[in-house]
Amino acid sequence: WAIGTGETAAADQIGAAHRFIRNLVARTFDAPTANELRIIYGGSVTPQNAREIFRIKGVDGVLVGGASLQAEKLVKIVQSQEG
């Protein structure tokens, strides 16, 4: 619901969704597969919220949409992951 809306899910919603996906994969396949799976968040990632998103347990990365069209914004998002 957040993709393309300019709205970002709350940190607890993002974490819960990632846990749900990882648990579903563990039940469907096995725990090692679930643990190795890279799960990314893709809902309106911006320079302002990227750092918080990267800190959420279980989030392995982000899919940057509109912000990727502006180099300055994309650089800030990448830098927020590094720090």
Side-chain angles (χ1 to χ4, degrees):
W1 62 260
I3 296 173
T5 65
E7 297 182 38
T8 305
D12 60 333
Q13 292 173 309
I14 296 169
H18 282 73
R19 282 189 303 278
F20 174 82
I21 293 167
R22 200 168 306 278
N23 289 335
L24 179 63
V25 171
R27 288 192 314 270
T28 303
F29 299 99
D30 55 46
T33 300
N35 291 333
E36 300 242 349
L37 184 67
R38 307 280 296 166
I39 303 173
I40 62 174
Y41 175 75
S44 298
V45 179
T46 68
Q48 292 75 30
N49 65 22
R51 185 176 305 272
E52 179 184 9
I53 294 169
F54 284 125
R55 290 181 177 159
I56 300 169
K57 184 177 179 181
V59 173
D60 298 311
V62 296
L63 172 67
V64 182
S68 69
L69 300 175
Q70 299 175 22
E72 186 176 313
K73 287 184 177 182
L74 182 58
V75 167
K76 288 180 181 179
I77 291 169
V78 171
Q79 289 172 335
S80 71
Q81 189 270 337
E82 295 170 350

